[in-house]
PDB file of all heavy atoms in Angstrom:
ATOM      1  N   VAL A 465     109.545  57.682 -22.296  1.00  0.00           N
ATOM      2  CA  VAL A 465     110.672  57.116 -21.549  1.00  0.00           C
ATOM      3  C   VAL A 465     111.303  58.190 -20.678  1.00  0.00           C
ATOM      4  O   VAL A 465     111.645  57.951 -19.513  1.00  0.00           O
ATOM      5  CB  VAL A 465     111.727  56.525 -22.510  1.00  0.00           C
ATOM      6  CG1 VAL A 465     112.978  56.081 -21.745  1.00  0.00           C
ATOM      7  CG2 VAL A 465     111.144  55.345 -23.278  1.00  0.00           C
ATOM      8  N   ARG A 466     111.414  59.380 -21.229  1.00  0.00           N
ATOM      9  CA  ARG A 466     112.100  60.477 -20.543  1.00  0.00           C
ATOM     10  C   ARG A 466     111.398  60.868 -19.246  1.00  0.00           C
ATOM     11  O   ARG A 466     112.050  61.080 -18.215  1.00  0.00           O
ATOM     12  CB  ARG A 466     112.182  61.674 -21.496  1.00  0.00           C
ATOM     13  CG  ARG A 466     113.046  62.808 -21.012  1.00  0.00           C
ATOM     14  CD  ARG A 466     113.144  63.885 -22.087  1.00  0.00           C
ATOM     15  NE  ARG A 466     113.978  63.492 -23.214  1.00  0.00           N
ATOM     16  CZ  ARG A 466     113.529  63.311 -24.458  1.00  0.00           C
ATOM     17  NH1 ARG A 466     112.245  63.472 -24.732  1.00  0.00           N
ATOM     18  NH2 ARG A 466     114.366  62.975 -25.413  1.00  0.00           N
ATOM     19  N   VAL A 467     110.064  60.930 -19.254  1.00  0.00           N
ATOM     20  CA  VAL A 467     109.338  61.381 -18.077  1.00  0.00           C
ATOM     21  C   VAL A 467     109.374  60.337 -16.961  1.00  0.00           C
ATOM     22  O   VAL A 467     109.124  60.656 -15.796  1.00  0.00           O
ATOM     23  CB  VAL A 467     107.881  61.727 -18.459  1.00  0.00           C
ATOM     24  CG1 VAL A 467     107.043  60.475 -18.655  1.00  0.00           C
ATOM     25  CG2 VAL A 467     107.243  62.633 -17.408  1.00  0.00           C
ATOM     26  N   ILE A 468     109.724  59.102 -17.305  1.00  0.00           N
ATOM     27  CA  ILE A 468     109.795  58.047 -16.300  1.00  0.00           C
ATOM     28  C   ILE A 468     111.226  57.819 -15.833  1.00  0.00           C
ATOM     29  O   ILE A 468     111.510  57.786 -14.627  1.00  0.00           O
ATOM     30  CB  ILE A 468     109.213  56.731 -16.859  1.00  0.00           C
ATOM     31  CG1 ILE A 468     107.736  56.915 -17.243  1.00  0.00           C
ATOM     32  CG2 ILE A 468     109.364  55.589 -15.854  1.00  0.00           C
ATOM     33  CD1 ILE A 468     107.160  55.751 -18.017  1.00  0.00           C
ATOM     34  N   PHE A 469     112.147  57.678 -16.790  1.00  0.00           N
ATOM     35  CA  PHE A 469     113.527  57.286 -16.453  1.00  0.00           C
ATOM     36  C   PHE A 469     114.561  58.390 -16.646  1.00  0.00           C
ATOM     37  O   PHE A 469     115.710  58.224 -16.247  1.00  0.00           O
ATOM     38  CB  PHE A 469     113.950  56.077 -17.307  1.00  0.00           C
ATOM     39  CG  PHE A 469     113.149  54.841 -17.037  1.00  0.00           C
ATOM     40  CD1 PHE A 469     112.133  54.446 -17.879  1.00  0.00           C
ATOM     41  CD2 PHE A 469     113.401  54.071 -15.905  1.00  0.00           C
ATOM     42  CE1 PHE A 469     111.392  53.297 -17.633  1.00  0.00           C
ATOM     43  CE2 PHE A 469     112.674  52.924 -15.644  1.00  0.00           C
ATOM     44  CZ  PHE A 469     111.660  52.536 -16.515  1.00  0.00           C
ATOM     45  N   GLY A 470     114.169  59.466 -17.275  1.00  0.00           N
ATOM     46  CA  GLY A 470     115.112  60.561 -17.464  1.00  0.00           C
ATOM     47  C   GLY A 470     115.798  60.523 -18.814  1.00  0.00           C
ATOM     48  O   GLY A 470     115.771  59.529 -19.543  1.00  0.00           O
ATOM     49  N   ASN A 471     116.444  61.620 -19.142  1.00  0.00           N
ATOM     50  CA  ASN A 471     117.064  61.771 -20.455  1.00  0.00           C
ATOM     51  C   ASN A 471     118.258  60.847 -20.636  1.00  0.00           C
ATOM     52  O   ASN A 471     118.564  60.426 -21.760  1.00  0.00           O
ATOM     53  CB  ASN A 471     117.486  63.231 -20.655  1.00  0.00           C
ATOM     54  CG  ASN A 471     117.598  63.581 -22.118  1.00  0.00           C
ATOM     55  OD1 ASN A 471     116.692  63.275 -22.900  1.00  0.00           O
ATOM     56  ND2 ASN A 471     118.708  64.184 -22.502  1.00  0.00           N
ATOM     57  N   ASP A 472     118.964  60.523 -19.557  1.00  0.00           N
ATOM     58  CA  ASP A 472     120.121  59.621 -19.673  1.00  0.00           C
ATOM     59  C   ASP A 472     119.690  58.243 -20.188  1.00  0.00           C
ATOM     60  O   ASP A 472     120.408  57.616 -20.962  1.00  0.00           O
ATOM     61  CB  ASP A 472     120.823  59.474 -18.321  1.00  0.00           C
ATOM     62  CG  ASP A 472     121.571  60.720 -17.916  1.00  0.00           C
ATOM     63  OD1 ASP A 472     121.767  61.600 -18.789  1.00  0.00           O
ATOM     64  OD2 ASP A 472     121.970  60.824 -16.733  1.00  0.00           O
ATOM     65  N   MET A 473     118.537  57.792 -19.754  1.00  0.00           N
ATOM     66  CA  MET A 473     118.054  56.485 -20.197  1.00  0.00           C
ATOM     67  C   MET A 473     117.756  56.498 -21.691  1.00  0.00           C
ATOM     68  O   MET A 473     118.018  55.508 -22.392  1.00  0.00           O
ATOM     69  CB  MET A 473     116.806  56.089 -19.408  1.00  0.00           C
ATOM     70  CG  MET A 473     116.212  54.745 -19.802  1.00  0.00           C
ATOM     71  SD  MET A 473     117.323  53.351 -19.495  1.00  0.00           S
ATOM     72  CE  MET A 473     117.240  53.257 -17.701  1.00  0.00           C
ATOM     73  N   VAL A 474     117.214  57.590 -22.178  1.00  0.00           N
ATOM     74  CA  VAL A 474     116.940  57.704 -23.612  1.00  0.00           C
ATOM     75  C   VAL A 474     118.221  57.530 -24.403  1.00  0.00           C
ATOM     76  O   VAL A 474     118.264  56.812 -25.417  1.00  0.00           O
ATOM     77  CB  VAL A 474     116.284  59.061 -23.928  1.00  0.00           C
ATOM     78  CG1 VAL A 474     116.151  59.266 -25.427  1.00  0.00           C
ATOM     79  CG2 VAL A 474     114.929  59.176 -23.251  1.00  0.00           C
ATOM     80  N   ALA A 475     119.293  58.170 -23.945  1.00  0.00           N
ATOM     81  CA  ALA A 475     120.573  58.076 -24.641  1.00  0.00           C
ATOM     82  C   ALA A 475     121.150  56.666 -24.571  1.00  0.00           C
ATOM     83  O   ALA A 475     121.695  56.151 -25.551  1.00  0.00           O
ATOM     84  CB  ALA A 475     121.558  59.077 -24.037  1.00  0.00           C
ATOM     85  N   LYS A 476     121.026  56.029 -23.418  1.00  0.00           N
ATOM     86  CA  LYS A 476     121.546  54.664 -23.259  1.00  0.00           C
ATOM     87  C   LYS A 476     120.828  53.684 -24.173  1.00  0.00           C
ATOM     88  O   LYS A 476     121.447  52.824 -24.798  1.00  0.00           O
ATOM     89  CB  LYS A 476     121.414  54.217 -21.804  1.00  0.00           C
ATOM     90  CG  LYS A 476     122.378  54.882 -20.836  1.00  0.00           C
ATOM     91  CD  LYS A 476     122.137  54.377 -19.416  1.00  0.00           C
ATOM     92  CE  LYS A 476     123.083  55.030 -18.419  1.00  0.00           C
ATOM     93  NZ  LYS A 476     122.827  54.551 -17.031  1.00  0.00           N
ATOM     94  N   LEU A 477     119.505  53.798 -24.240  1.00  0.00           N
ATOM     95  CA  LEU A 477     118.728  52.897 -25.093  1.00  0.00           C
ATOM     96  C   LEU A 477     119.118  53.054 -26.553  1.00  0.00           C
ATOM     97  O   LEU A 477     119.235  52.070 -27.290  1.00  0.00           O
ATOM     98  CB  LEU A 477     117.233  53.178 -24.923  1.00  0.00           C
ATOM     99  CG  LEU A 477     116.592  52.722 -23.614  1.00  0.00           C
ATOM    100  CD1 LEU A 477     115.197  53.336 -23.468  1.00  0.00           C
ATOM    101  CD2 LEU A 477     116.495  51.202 -23.564  1.00  0.00           C
ATOM    102  N   ALA A 478     119.315  54.290 -26.966  1.00  0.00           N
ATOM    103  CA  ALA A 478     119.628  54.551 -28.372  1.00  0.00           C
ATOM    104  C   ALA A 478     120.946  53.914 -28.800  1.00  0.00           C
ATOM    105  O   ALA A 478     121.118  53.532 -29.955  1.00  0.00           O
ATOM    106  CB  ALA A 478     119.665  56.059 -28.624  1.00  0.00           C
ATOM    107  N   LYS A 479     121.879  53.775 -27.873  1.00  0.00           N
ATOM    108  CA  LYS A 479     123.220  53.251 -28.199  1.00  0.00           C
ATOM    109  C   LYS A 479     123.308  51.730 -28.174  1.00  0.00           C
ATOM    110  O   LYS A 479     124.335  51.168 -28.560  1.00  0.00           O
ATOM    111  CB  LYS A 479     124.242  53.819 -27.202  1.00  0.00           C
ATOM    112  CG  LYS A 479     124.442  55.322 -27.288  1.00  0.00           C
ATOM    113  CD  LYS A 479     125.400  55.794 -26.198  1.00  0.00           C
ATOM    114  CE  LYS A 479     125.565  57.312 -26.233  1.00  0.00           C
ATOM    115  NZ  LYS A 479     126.441  57.793 -25.126  1.00  0.00           N
ATOM    116  N   LEU A 480     122.266  51.065 -27.706  1.00  0.00           N
ATOM    117  CA  LEU A 480     122.353  49.621 -27.494  1.00  0.00           C
ATOM    118  C   LEU A 480     122.478  48.834 -28.795  1.00  0.00           C
ATOM    119  O   LEU A 480     121.900  49.185 -29.827  1.00  0.00           O
ATOM    120  CB  LEU A 480     121.128  49.122 -26.735  1.00  0.00           C
ATOM    121  CG  LEU A 480     121.042  49.482 -25.251  1.00  0.00           C
ATOM    122  CD1 LEU A 480     119.767  48.911 -24.650  1.00  0.00           C
ATOM    123  CD2 LEU A 480     122.259  48.968 -24.488  1.00  0.00           C
ATOM    124  N   ASN A 481     123.224  47.737 -28.698  1.00  0.00           N
ATOM    125  CA  ASN A 481     123.384  46.784 -29.798  1.00  0.00           C
ATOM    126  C   ASN A 481     122.847  45.452 -29.292  1.00  0.00           C
ATOM    127  O   ASN A 481     123.522  44.753 -28.536  1.00  0.00           O
ATOM    128  CB  ASN A 481     124.859  46.683 -30.187  1.00  0.00           C
ATOM    129  CG  ASN A 481     125.086  45.699 -31.321  1.00  0.00           C
ATOM    130  OD1 ASN A 481     124.153  45.281 -32.001  1.00  0.00           O
ATOM    131  ND2 ASN A 481     126.344  45.323 -31.514  1.00  0.00           N
ATOM    132  N   TYR A 482     121.613  45.100 -29.683  1.00  0.00           N
ATOM    133  CA  TYR A 482     120.957  43.907 -29.153  1.00  0.00           C
ATOM    134  C   TYR A 482     120.655  42.892 -30.253  1.00  0.00           C
ATOM    135  O   TYR A 482     120.413  43.253 -31.409  1.00  0.00           O
ATOM    136  CB  TYR A 482     119.655  44.276 -28.426  1.00  0.00           C
ATOM    137  CG  TYR A 482     119.780  44.162 -26.922  1.00  0.00           C
ATOM    138  CD1 TYR A 482     120.501  45.095 -26.188  1.00  0.00           C
ATOM    139  CD2 TYR A 482     119.206  43.102 -26.239  1.00  0.00           C
ATOM    140  CE1 TYR A 482     120.624  44.988 -24.802  1.00  0.00           C
ATOM    141  CE2 TYR A 482     119.315  42.974 -24.861  1.00  0.00           C
ATOM    142  CZ  TYR A 482     120.032  43.920 -24.147  1.00  0.00           C
ATOM    143  OH  TYR A 482     120.158  43.797 -22.785  1.00  0.00           O
TER     144      TYR A 482
END
Side-chain angles (χ1 to χ4, degrees):
V465 173
R466 189 175 287 115
V467 76
I468 299 170
F469 296 101
N471 203 48
D472 288 346
M473 179 63 73
V474 173
K476 288 179 180 179
L477 287 168
K479 295 176 182 177
L480 288 180
N481 180 14
Y482 253 73

